[in-house]
């Protein structure tokens, strides 16, 4: 096929997909490309490169072409799979790593990258041997890798309003990614969150589209280099991917993967705005959103993906879908979705369903469901990006510039940039004159977040949700406590760490660090803009210290603005630190002044989104977008804020049982496996099933924080009933686990872990082994295993069922959702 013919084919496909069906022109989710802006994509199509691409396509088999369109996760895709199925790309999800270990050390990542490259370029059995690409979520630094620099999450970078800093962060991230052999990061996120109940809101720079647009080009340049740049591998750069196209920050009630019920002009002017500077800076890839617009899933919306993004906006790279998002398109499954490719998806991210997708796309192309012109257009887009990257002529990842330069991971230069970012991201909401602190006194550092790098780093850090991590997973990092301690010592003073505020020596001032726990997509969704009650204990510490006439500086770790009026009232000064990452000294640089109490660094951070007056966003702002105090400002005559959140606090919806009690609205029951003889356990001691089960208390975390079940004769089922049917389909798709923390004194002869629906038969009972252990063990069973065994994940009633046969003695300390199992239970 000649280059002009290839271009005409691509243009015809684009035009066919972009023109709405007249019969459905006014249907919900119908885009009108003519009202959208036109941008200039700076990457010029080189004639020689286009001829090479056309030659490759002409020589490729259908199987090779389809392989380029599919991306599998390393959890489920071996190098031999890449060789056999000609896959165009692999990725590692948040919990994937070499050999199934997401904490694998850097050399293992590079070795696996070499193995994939070698397999993809193997021409021993014929074929064109196009090198594979590896995509990774390096979203706040190379955050999957032990020892990498962790920069503040995007909401903190939005508070800096500093494009130069952000470009330097992008460049440092690109360098660290290249060390371990990957070529592509799924960043930057350019969402414009409008409802901060959304669990991914911290991935957006701001709620203001102008501010997001001001920053996005800088990150793209940092990652990729100049907008028209080529040979990115030779220049130490990586491919960027702006996401998620389009409107993920506008979903109703902030529900992740939900629907944006907004007008097309609002979609264009707020959520589409950042794509202009991204395109004009030559972003190589765009990731389509899980979410929908006006009831139509974005991954299947041809009018937006092809009509707007490609044809109108002029985007010249390729479009990739999100993690099995194609399965949510109407009429699709994870195994088959021609609609996505027809709509304009060029590469289908099918992490664990890639083989089915390859098979179905081949069959659908042969049957004429998908025209070969659309397949060739997608392949050409992917090959253009690989050509621009320099991948077609590059050697194995380990032979490329920067590869294996382990000293670049967490280097002093990169950590200095991150430390600067922390300083510039801090937003001061209150200061009665106590800040900056003099370093010659004695400082108390309190709060449950003070000495915890994982807490400061947030989600998308080593593990998907940022959970299940210890201090040992952050070599070279500095906690907030360590930074403050070092600053005080350098100034001739001292510091003391006491998380609960009970000091050994009376301090001159106290810093109390509190806030959110780590979370990522959908597990971080909130019902209201407030902390769960178990995270507010540090507020009492603040009040107790103030009662002793000790000045208190509150430091909040958070991925979003939340109602915290009680803490604002209790503190003399209040600093929003967002999710600062691995460099805790950045906070100390600002809080601790010189010997005379003068600032060592300026306060420049400004709110990237309004701070709420109550836990209901509709009640207006306490502090407006752009607010932030400088050292010249003083809070005088502070009038106590109302401490009424406007809505009842909601416990962590991921935690179903803890502290000896089921979550609010839930019920704990003991019953026969068929549901008969059910006894609701409201207090202990208790008996059930005619005395065959004795329920007592046991300490776990707190006094009587667990329930012990002694079964003299089984079978007996321990169940947790939800207050309303649960829809856990997103969690099942996202590799979330059902976690049970248990201590087994006598193992049952047989154990089944499962769930059941409310009023509908959909029971899943998975055989598991719970051996005797003299310690508490956190077991995890993948939710998708329950689905595989018959559970309808959209309407679970008895969301947790543990059936014990024979005599047994087991204590349960916690039941929740998560990804931090100590021992994963296999799925038969």
């Amino acid at each position: 096929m000649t280059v002009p013919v290839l271009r005409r084919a691509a243009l015809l496909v684009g035009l066919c997909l972009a023109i709405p069906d007249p019969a459905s022109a006014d249907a919900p989710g119908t885009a009108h490309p003519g009202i959208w802006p036109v941008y200039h994509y700076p990457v010029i199509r080189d004639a020689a490169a286009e001829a090479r691409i056309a030659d490759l396509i002409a020589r490729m088999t259908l199987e090779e072409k389809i392989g380029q369109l599919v991306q599998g996760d390393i959890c489920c895709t071996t190098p031999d799979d890449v060789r056999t199925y000609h896959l165009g790309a692999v990725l590692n999800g948040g919990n994937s790593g070499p050999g199934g270990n997401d904490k694998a050390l850097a050399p293992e990542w590079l070795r696996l990258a070499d193995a994939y490259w070698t397999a993809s370029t193997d021409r021993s059995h014929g074929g064109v041997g196009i090198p594979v690409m590896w995509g990774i979520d390096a979203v706040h630094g190379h955050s999957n890798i032990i020892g990498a620099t962790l920069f503040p999450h995007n909401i903190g970078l939005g508070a800096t309003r500093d494009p130069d800093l952000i470009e330097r962060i992008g460049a440092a991230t690109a360098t660290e990614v290249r060390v371990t052999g990957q070529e592509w990061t799924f960043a930057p996120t350019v969402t414009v969150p409008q409802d901060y109940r959304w669990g991914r809101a911290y991935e957006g720079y701001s709620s203001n589209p102008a501010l997001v647009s001001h920053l996005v080009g800088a990150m793209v340049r940092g990652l990729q280099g100049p907008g028209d740049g080529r040979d990115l591998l030779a220049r130490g750069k990586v491919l960027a991917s702006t996401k998620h196209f389009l409107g993920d920050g506008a979903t109703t009630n902030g529900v992740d993967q939900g629907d944006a019920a907004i007008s097309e002009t609002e979609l264009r002017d707020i959520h589409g705005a950042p794509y202009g500077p991204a395109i004009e800076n030559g972003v190589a890839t765009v990731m389509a959103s899980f979410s929908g617009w006006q009831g139509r899933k974005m991954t299947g919306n041809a009018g937006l993906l092809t009509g707007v993004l490609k044809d109108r906006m002029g985007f010249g790279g390729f479009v990739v879908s999100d993690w099995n998002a194609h399965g949510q398109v109407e009429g699709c499954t994870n195994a088959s979705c021609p609609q996505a490719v027809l709509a304009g998806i060029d590469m289908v991210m099918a992490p664990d369903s890639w083989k089915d997708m390859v098979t179905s796309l081949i069959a659908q192309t042969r049957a004429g469901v998908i025209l070969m012109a659309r397949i060739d257009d997608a392949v050409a887009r992917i090959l253009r990006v690989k050509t621009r990257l320099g991948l077609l002529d590059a050697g194995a990842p380990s032979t490329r510039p920067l590869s294996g330069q382990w000293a670049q991971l967490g280097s002093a230069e990169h950590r200095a940039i991150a430390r600067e970012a922390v300083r510039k991201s801090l937003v001061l909401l209150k200061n009665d004159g106590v800040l900056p602190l003099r370093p010659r006194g004695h400082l108390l550092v309190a709060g449950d977040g003070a000495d915890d790098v994982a807490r400061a780093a947030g989600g998308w850090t080593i593990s998907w949700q940022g959970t299940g991590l210890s201090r040992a997973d952050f070599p070279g990092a500095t906690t907030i406590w360590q930074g403050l301690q070092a600053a005080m010592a350098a100034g001739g003073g001292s510091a003391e760490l006491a998380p609960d505020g009970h000091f050994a020596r009376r301090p001159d001032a106290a810093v109390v660090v509190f806030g959110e726990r780590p979370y990522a997509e959908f597990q971080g969704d909130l019902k209201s803009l407030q902390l769960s009650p178990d995270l507010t204990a540090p507020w009492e510490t603040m009040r107790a210290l103030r009662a002793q006439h000790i000045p208190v500086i509150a430091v909040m770790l958070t991925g979003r603005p939340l109602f915290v009026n009680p803490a604002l009232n209790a503190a003399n000064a209040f600093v929003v630190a967002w999710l600062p990452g691995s460099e805790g000294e950045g906070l100390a640089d600002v809080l601790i002044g010189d010997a005379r109490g003068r600032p060592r660094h300026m306060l420049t951070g400004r709110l990237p989104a309004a701070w709420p007056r109550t836990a209901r966003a509709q009640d207006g702002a306490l502090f407006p977008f752009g607010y932030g105090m400088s050292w010249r400002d003083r809070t005088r005559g502070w009038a106590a804020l109302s401490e009424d959140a406007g809505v009842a606090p909601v416990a962590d919806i991921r935690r179903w049982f803890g502290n000896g009690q089921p979550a609010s609205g839930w019920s704990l029951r003991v019953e026969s496996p068929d549901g008969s003889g059910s006894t609701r356990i409201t207090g202990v001691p208790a008996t059930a099933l005619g005395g065959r089960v004795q329920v007592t208390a046991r300490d776990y975390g707190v006094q009587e924080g667990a329930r012990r079940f002694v079964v003299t004769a089984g079978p007996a089922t321990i169940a947790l009933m939800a207050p309303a049917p649960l829809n856990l389909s997103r969690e099942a798709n996202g590799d979330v686990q059902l976690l049970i923390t248990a201590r087994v004194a006598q193992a049952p002869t047989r154990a089944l872990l499962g769930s059941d629906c409310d009023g509908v038969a959909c029971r899943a009972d998975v055989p598991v082994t719970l051996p005797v252990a003299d310690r508490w063990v956190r077991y995890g069973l993948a939710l998708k295993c329950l689905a595989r065994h018959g559970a309808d994940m959209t309407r679970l009633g008895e969301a947790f069922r543990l059936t014990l046969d024979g005599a047994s003695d087991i204590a349960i300390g916690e039941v929740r959702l998560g990804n931090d199992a100590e021992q994963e239970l296999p799925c038969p």
Side-chain angles (χ1 to χ4, degrees):
M1 183 181 291
T2 64
V3 175
V5 171
L6 181 62
R7 286 177 176 164
R8 283 201 301 272
L11 179 62
L12 286 171
V13 171
L15 289 173
C16 290
L17 291 172
I19 299 173
D21 179 355
S24 61
D26 296 322
T30 299
H32 302 83
I35 71 170
W36 290 71
V38 175
Y39 300 111
H40 170 67
Y41 194 65
V43 182
I44 299 172
R45 293 188 184 180
D46 175 78
E50 287 295 300
R52 183 181 187 184
I53 291 167
D55 176 66
L56 282 170
I57 292 175
R59 291 189 288 117
M60 291 170 75
T61 65
L62 175 59
E63 288 77 10
E64 288 177 303
K65 292 178 180 179
I66 296 301
Q68 287 298 301
L69 271 62
V70 178
Q71 182 178 37
D73 189 272
I74 66 172
C75 71
C76 319
T77 311
T78 66
D80 280 343
D81 292 331
V82 169
R83 176 187 293 107
T84 301
Y85 294 92
H86 317 289
L87 297 183
V90 295
L91 78 149
N92 60 282
N95 289 319
S96 297
N101 179 16
D102 59 358
K103 296 183 181 180
L105 298 181
E108 298 176 61
W109 294 79
L110 184 55
R111 281 195 291 270
L112 184 58
D114 270 0
Y116 280 125
W117 181 88
T118 300
S120 67
T121 57
D122 183 358
R123 300 181 179 88
S124 60
H125 298 289
V128 294
I130 296 172
V132 69
M133 292 193 310
W134 185 338
I136 192 167
D137 285 287
V139 295
H140 64 128
H142 197 16
S143 50
N144 292 260
I145 306 299
I146 300 287
T149 310
L150 300 174
F151 298 94
H153 271 291
N154 282 357
I155 191 169
L157 299 185
T160 72
R161 288 165 160 71
D162 189 336
D164 172 71
L165 170 65
I166 288 171
E167 185 167 346
R168 286 185 282 129
I169 289 172
T173 300
T175 294
E176 296 203 15
V177 170
R178 290 292 307 282
V179 167
T180 57
Q182 290 71 47
E183 306 95 350
W184 178 18
T185 175
F186 302 130
T189 303
V190 299
T191 183
V192 188
Q194 300 299 291
D195 190 326
Y196 279 84
R197 290 176 292 181
W198 183 35
R200 301 194 74 164
Y202 65 79
E203 296 185 52
Y205 294 113
S206 173
S207 63
N208 182 288
L211 178 54
V212 179
S213 300
H214 180 59
L215 301 178
V216 60
M219 182 59 82
V220 172
R221 289 192 302 275
L223 292 167
Q224 294 189 168
D228 60 353
R230 296 176 180 275
D231 295 323
L232 273 60
L233 291 178
R235 300 169 186 267
K237 296 297 183 179
V238 296
L239 300 175
S241 183
T242 43
K243 62 184 184 183
H244 304 86
F245 191 88
L246 188 62
D248 52 349
T251 60
T252 302
N253 298 324
V255 173
D256 189 58
Q257 302 182 19
D259 188 69
I262 60 175
S263 69
E264 186 173 3
T265 54
E266 189 175 349
L267 185 71
R268 177 195 66 194
D269 297 343
I270 296 178
H271 306 279
Y275 285 87
I279 290 169
E280 295 195 330
N281 278 279
V283 69
T285 70
V286 169
M287 184 180 291
S289 180
F290 264 113
S291 61
W293 173 53
Q294 296 184 352
R296 188 174 179 187
K297 283 292 183 179
M298 203 63 59
T299 303
N301 193 316
L304 285 169
L305 294 179
T306 300
V308 171
L309 179 60
K310 293 180 177 178
D311 295 341
R312 181 68 175 179
M313 289 183 168
F315 171 59
F318 72 80
V319 180
V320 61
S321 57
D322 208 340
W323 183 281
N324 276 336
H326 59 277
Q328 297 185 12
V329 175
E330 186 177 1
C332 291
T333 65
N334 285 0
S336 174
C337 191
Q339 294 93 319
V341 176
L342 289 170
I345 296 294
D346 301 304
M347 182 178 287
V348 181
M349 186 186 292
D352 53 359
S353 58
W354 61 267
K355 190 177 295 185
D356 289 333
M357 280 301 298
V358 167
T359 301
S360 62
L361 286 173
I362 289 172
Q364 289 151 3
T365 304
R366 284 180 173 152
V369 175
I370 305 174
L371 297 179
M372 186 61 74
R374 168 77 271 258
I375 299 298
D376 287 348
D377 171 51
V379 174
R381 285 178 171 272
I382 293 167
L383 292 182
R384 285 189 192 105
V385 169
K386 290 187 174 184
T387 300
R388 178 186 176 194
L389 181 62
L391 187 66
L392 298 186
D393 299 311
S398 61
T399 68
R400 302 170 189 166
L402 297 174
S403 292
Q405 295 185 18
W406 313 122
Q408 292 283 357
L409 290 173
S411 69
E413 178 187 359
H414 296 166
R415 290 190 185 278
I417 297 171
R419 184 171 176 171
E420 176 187 350
V422 175
R423 288 197 301 265
K424 291 182 174 179
S425 67
L426 302 175
V427 178
L428 184 62
L429 297 184
K430 180 183 181 183
N431 182 21
D432 66 7
V434 66
L435 287 177
L437 296 168
R438 293 177 184 269
R440 290 184 177 174
H442 182 63
L443 179 67
L444 172 67
V445 182
D448 52 14
D451 197 29
D452 190 338
V453 181
R455 191 84 169 266
W460 297 107
T461 302
I462 302 177
S463 69
W464 172 35
Q465 298 286 325
T467 55
L469 305 174
S470 69
R471 185 66 180 86
D473 296 320
F474 300 97
T478 306
T479 68
I480 290 172
W481 149 247
Q482 290 173 317
L484 291 168
Q485 181 189 37
M488 291 297 292
S494 59
E496 175 183 349
L497 177 65
D500 62 1
H502 289 91
F503 49 82
R505 173 185 166 191
R506 181 178 174 84
D508 297 292
V511 172
V512 181
V513 186
F514 76 100
E516 294 191 287
R517 294 192 188 96
Y519 56 84
E521 54 191 300
F522 55 76
Q523 289 205 56
D525 287 0
L526 292 177
K527 296 295 185 183
S528 59
L529 293 171
Q530 59 186 323
L531 294 170
S532 61
D534 60 310
L535 293 175
T536 62
W539 300 354
E540 288 300 325
T541 300
M542 295 180 207
R543 295 186 184 105
L545 291 167
R546 284 294 298 276
Q548 299 171 72
H549 306 289
I550 297 170
V552 171
I553 299 93
V555 174
M556 185 175 181
L557 301 175
T558 183
R560 49 197 156 194
L562 295 173
F563 169 79
V564 287
N565 286 10
L568 281 161
N569 283 335
N572 296 87
F574 192 103
V575 178
V576 185
W578 309 109
L579 299 171
S582 61
E583 307 311 306
E585 305 102 322
L587 183 76
D589 288 343
V590 176
L591 266 58
I592 311 298
D594 64 14
R596 297 174 59 184
R598 297 174 302 189
R600 293 187 294 147
H601 294 276
M602 291 297 100
L603 272 169
T604 58
R606 299 292 180 265
L607 287 178
W611 199 273
R613 184 179 303 277
T614 74
R616 300 181 303 186
Q618 64 267 31
D619 288 345
L622 177 63
F623 299 106
F625 165 81
Y627 181 83
M629 298 175 68
S630 71
W631 290 127
R632 295 187 301 271
D633 303 320
R634 287 289 183 270
T635 303
R636 295 183 174 87
W638 177 266
L641 301 170
S642 169
E643 299 191 1
D644 180 5
V647 60
V650 178
D652 187 345
I653 59 175
R654 298 169 294 179
R655 196 182 197 210
W656 301 347
F657 179 85
N659 293 333
Q661 298 293 330
S664 177
W666 288 67
S667 61
L668 173 64
R669 303 177 182 183
V670 176
E671 59 195 22
S672 295
D674 62 3
S676 63
S678 179
T679 299
R680 183 173 181 177
I681 308 300
T682 57
V684 289
T687 61
L689 296 179
R692 290 190 291 117
V693 181
Q694 303 290 326
V695 186
T696 56
R698 177 157 187 172
D699 292 349
Y700 172 73
V702 298
Q703 186 175 3
E704 299 191 356
R707 292 292 176 260
R708 179 186 179 192
F709 301 86
V710 178
V711 181
T712 56
T717 297
I718 304 163
L720 285 167
M721 174 67 77
L726 298 179
N727 182 347
L728 299 181
S729 56
R730 296 179 303 166
E731 287 82 352
N733 183 51
D735 286 338
V736 175
Q737 297 172 324
L738 174 60
L739 301 173
I740 170 177
T741 301
R743 187 164 184 164
V744 181
Q746 181 179 358
T749 56
R750 180 169 177 260
L752 301 172
L753 182 58
S755 59
D756 201 356
C757 291
D758 186 21
V760 179
C762 80
R763 181 171 299 171
D765 286 314
V766 180
V768 296
T769 300
L770 300 175
V772 172
D774 60 358
R775 66 181 184 91
W776 294 94
V777 179
R778 188 167 57 251
Y779 299 96
L781 180 69
L783 290 178
K784 64 174 56 177
C785 181
L786 297 179
R788 195 176 303 151
H789 280 257
D792 182 346
M793 303 307 293
T794 67
R795 48 181 177 177
L796 295 183
E798 276 192 348
F800 169 84
R801 289 171 50 88
L802 178 62
T803 299
L804 307 171
D805 213 349
S808 58
D809 184 345
I810 181 170
I812 297 177
E814 187 178 52
V815 178
R816 63 178 171 88
L817 300 179
N819 296 88
D820 53 334
E822 294 175 291
Q823 184 172 324
E824 295 187 6
L825 299 170
C827 186

